[in-house]
Amino acid sequence: IATMENKEFVDQDDLEEAPDKIRWGRAKKSSVVDERDRRITAYHETGHLIVTYLQHPKDDVFKVSIIPRGPAGGVTYSLPSEDEMFRNRDWFVAEIKVLLAGYVAEKVKFGVTSSGVASDFQHAMRLAHTMVWRLGMGKSESLGDYASIPTEQLSGDVKERLNTETREI
């Protein structure tokens, strides 16, 4: 980063920017993003922030930014204050709530939502699917990793039950 800006030395700003650039991509210049998009992003990320605080009280919100990077319009990044080796159903459900909070914040404030919810929805669906299909965390608490079985070997009833439980989450 320092080299790209023709700096003679690496400074603290470069050190703070480096992990963000690697994790989320190059920051877009604020003059490129219009005020409406900045407001939507601010409410979206605030939704994630508030629900993280409420649902994951052991997590420290490390960074919230409305600077667009790569495909993301903004980011809320938290770190657990304690290392956890295993996650239980409550953690997964709380994480899904955090992911959906940006959508809810946009809907409450603006009455509509933006395409900024796409990756949150994708991640939430993936977590719900993992809970049911791989970890036995659905309503029926079915045993086994159904995701490891080719879907054509599962009966239609089993697939429908697993898909229904995923949708319920």
Side-chain angles (χ1 to χ4, degrees):
I1 292 169
T3 301
M4 290 187 318
E5 294 180 11
N6 294 320
K7 293 181 181 177
E8 202 168 316
F9 299 98
V10 175
D11 61 24
Q12 187 64 34
D13 290 341
D14 301 325
L15 295 174
E16 290 175 9
E17 173 67 14
D20 292 352
K21 183 175 183 237
I22 291 167
R23 188 176 291 120
W24 299 299
R26 173 178 274 154
K28 292 184 177 93
K29 300 211 184 305
S30 62
S31 61
V32 175
V33 182
D34 72 17
E35 182 61 28
R36 181 183 151 276
D37 286 346
R38 270 198 285 266
R39 285 178 45 84
I40 291 169
T41 303
Y43 276 91
H44 182 103
E45 296 307 325
T46 300
H48 291 312
L49 171 73
I50 291 169
V51 177
T52 296
Y53 176 78
L54 295 172
Q55 294 293 312
H56 291 304
K58 292 181 179 178
D59 286 8
D60 296 323
V61 174
F62 178 71
K63 181 175 231 168
V64 178
S65 174
I66 63 167
I67 297 170
R69 292 177 173 276
V75 65
T76 301
Y77 185 65
S78 63
L79 295 170
S81 57
E82 301 172 7
D83 285 337
E84 294 179 276
M85 257 180 80
F86 303 107
R87 308 266 190 218
N88 63 24
R89 187 180 198 285
D90 293 340
W91 182 90
F92 280 97
V93 170
E95 189 63 16
I96 290 170
K97 289 176 181 179
V98 169
L99 289 163
L100 299 179
Y103 164 84
V104 171
E106 288 184 29
K107 192 78 167 166
V108 167
K109 176 61 180 170
F110 302 105
V112 295
T113 62
S114 70
S115 59
V117 302
S119 66
D120 294 334
F121 279 3
Q122 182 182 43
H123 192 179
M125 288 299 292
R126 222 180 288 129
L127 285 178
H129 186 271
T130 296
M131 289 171 67
V132 173
W133 282 74
R134 301 194 75 170
L135 303 175
M137 293 181 178
K139 185 170 46 178
S140 66
E141 297 181 348
S142 46
L143 298 175
D145 179 357
Y146 290 91
S148 66
I149 301 169
T151 55
E152 62 273 2
Q153 292 182 13
L154 295 172
S155 74
D157 289 344
V158 169
K159 287 188 279 193
E160 181 55 36
R161 180 176 47 81
L162 295 171
N163 286 333
T164 298
E165 290 182 24
T166 299
R167 282 190 302 273
E168 286 173 356
I169 291 172

